[in-house]
Amino acid sequence: MDLSDYRRQIDEIDGQLIPLFTKRMQVAGQVADYKAAHGLTTLHPGREQQVLERVSAAAGEAFAPYARMLYAAMFEASRAYQNQRMAGGNAPDQAGEYTPEPLPQPDCVAVCGVQGAYAQQAAGALFPQAAPLYAASFEEVFLAVEQGRADIGVVPIENSLHGTVEGIYDLLAAHPLSIVRAIRMPIRHALLAPPGAGLEGIRQVYSHPQALGQCSAWFKAHPGVQAVACTNTAAAALKIAQIGHSDAAAIASPACAGLYGLAVLSQDIQNMPHNYTRFIALSRRRIQTPDADKISLRLTLQHQPGALSAVLSRFASLGLNLTRLESRPIPGANFEFYFYLDVQASLQDARVRGLMNAQALGAREVVLLGHYREETPCASAD
């Protein structure tokens, strides 16, 4: 026998399995109707464990682990179908009515920091005609948009070298704003100091904690230099220009050198040459553009084993790529977490829209944070 013969045998066996699988799902639907009528939940761990033990014994020692894998997948499929059937089409749909529209060009965009900040450069790439509104903190950016002082807010959310930007996910949970655009910007850090200062005399370097972390290798190579956290990279450059000490420097964009009369002591001091930060644009209003290709969600899951795995399997079953998964503690809860997911998908796909409720995903709560387009990286960020 050759490979085609074996594959033909598998095709024949599949032809026998599929009718049995569909029959099993039909019975699972009847079980869902019974549970809905009697106020029962879809999950029954004791029952599933009994089935797993039975099929493991029936499969024999060689195939028992694979039988458990097969039935675990069938349990997930059955629960997904039961959840959807029990919802009866009445579960809150976070996607809402899908009505794509162009993204309006804002007059004012709030960013954290001062002129020269990387967020300002990201805002300029996304909204070149908008005037910047500089805020003292990320929270102030959120408040400026929420209170109507700015049309859009642009904040960094993650960096390719140093991970999540501290506090942004918590602010997304605390403020009712929607992500309407995103962009990945290449970040090139320079060491800036007052004119006449020399690298050998630098004892303190100011910058945002993210930038300090992205340049950790430089600090290891200069152990006598103290890293000092600042609210923003451009604000650090402005501070160095104002104090004018020859032993202090800032890590910021090279563009800040010209803005604040500083000298560039070292170029490209980030740990790796390919250093990118992802920025998101926030609006008071949910805007879903026709070219949207990414979805951001916040999930609250059942506090039970396998809850996250069950959700992830729903996306995997549709062949959807999850590009980010982040957890953050739920304030006031005892070691329970929000889960933030980015999915490469569009709500134009009816199958994707069908996942946008708690019943379909088997979650306690699903919040759509945004359905938007992510721009490709720009050539430079100076």
Side-chain angles (χ1 to χ4, degrees):
M1 295 181 67
D2 61 18
L3 183 58
S4 61
D5 294 319
Y6 294 124
R7 285 176 172 168
R8 189 159 42 248
Q9 289 186 47
I10 288 177
D11 290 342
E12 291 174 358
I13 295 168
D14 285 342
Q16 300 172 48
L17 288 176
I18 291 299
L20 291 173
F21 172 73
T22 55
K23 185 175 181 179
R24 189 184 196 281
M25 292 294 283
Q26 289 168 356
V27 175
Q30 294 169 355
V31 171
D33 295 342
Y34 180 91
K35 289 179 177 179
H38 293 80
L40 303 176
T41 62
T42 57
L43 184 64
H44 196 315
R47 162 68 177 165
E48 291 184 2
Q49 187 59 36
Q50 291 173 2
V51 174
L52 288 175
E53 290 174 359
R54 186 180 73 246
V55 299
S56 296
E61 184 176 354
F63 297 113
Y66 307 105
R68 295 178 73 90
M69 291 172 60
L70 171 63
Y71 271 78
M74 283 204 295
F75 290 154
E76 289 297 335
S78 179
R79 280 198 296 271
Y81 178 53
Q82 288 185 353
N83 282 330
Q84 187 176 39
R85 191 177 178 107
M86 291 171 72
N90 298 317
D93 182 359
Q94 285 295 315
E97 184 70 23
Y98 178 64
T99 52
E101 60 179 298
L103 183 63
Q105 286 299 309
D107 295 322
C108 178
V109 176
V111 297
C112 181
V114 296
Q115 188 178 8
Y118 289 112
Q120 182 210 347
Q121 296 175 41
L126 289 171
F127 310 107
Q129 305 303 318
L133 173 67
Y134 296 108
S137 66
F138 294 141
E139 185 172 21
E140 283 297 319
V141 172
F142 277 75
L143 288 172
V145 178
E146 191 174 339
Q147 295 168 1
R149 290 181 283 121
D151 305 306
I152 295 286
V154 173
V155 295
I157 193 166
E158 61 177 317
N159 175 260
S160 60
L161 298 183
H162 204 59
T164 302
V165 177
E166 183 70 26
I168 297 298
Y169 281 108
D170 295 335
L171 289 169
L172 284 170
H175 297 272
L177 302 183
S178 180
I179 303 171
V180 295
R181 215 63 161 185
I183 187 170
R184 286 185 297 130
M185 298 281 290
I187 303 297
R188 297 175 55 197
H189 291 308
L191 187 69
L192 310 180
L199 181 60
E200 65 283 351
I202 299 300
R203 295 293 175 264
Q204 289 185 321
V205 171
Y206 292 75
S207 199
H208 187 272
Q210 270 278 336
L212 297 174
Q214 293 163 30
C215 300
S216 59
W218 185 91
F219 284 99
K220 288 182 181 177
H222 300 81
V225 178
Q226 177 189 8
V228 182
C230 210
T231 58
N232 180 262
T233 55
L238 175 59
K239 181 181 182 70
I240 293 303
Q242 290 172 338
I243 61 178
H245 294 168
S246 61
D247 64 346
I251 293 175
S253 163
C256 289
L259 288 171
Y260 300 116
L262 299 173
V264 179
L265 299 187
S266 295
Q267 290 267 24
D268 293 325
I269 66 170
Q270 64 274 3
N271 294 349
M272 299 289 289
H274 302 293
N275 181 30
Y276 293 89
T277 293
R278 181 169 172 254
F279 294 84
I280 55 174
L282 301 162
S283 170
R284 291 185 300 280
R285 189 166 65 89
R286 181 187 296 173
I287 302 169
Q288 302 178 107
T289 58
D291 59 356
D293 59 4
K294 181 167 277 193
I295 296 169
S296 290
L297 302 171
R298 185 180 76 240
L299 308 181
T300 309
L301 304 184
Q302 307 294 341
H303 195 48
Q304 59 196 24
L308 179 59
S309 173
V311 168
L312 299 182
S313 71
R314 307 288 202 278
F315 292 101
S317 68
L318 297 182
L320 301 177
N321 183 29
L322 269 65
T323 59
R324 185 151 186 85
L325 173 61
E326 182 84 14
S327 64
R328 293 294 302 162
I330 299 176
N334 186 18
F335 289 100
E336 294 188 43
F337 298 87
Y338 289 130
F339 290 90
Y340 292 88
L341 279 69
D342 288 346
V343 187
Q344 202 72 42
S346 170
L347 291 176
Q348 294 186 58
D349 188 334
R351 301 174 308 157
V352 175
R353 289 201 304 276
L355 286 178
M356 297 296 111
N357 65 70
Q359 286 280 11
L361 282 176
R364 289 205 321 243
E365 182 186 37
V366 177
V367 176
L368 179 64
L369 297 175
H371 175 225
Y372 54 94
R373 176 174 176 79
E374 181 164 310
E375 303 288 351
T376 55
C378 301
S380 71
D382 328 304

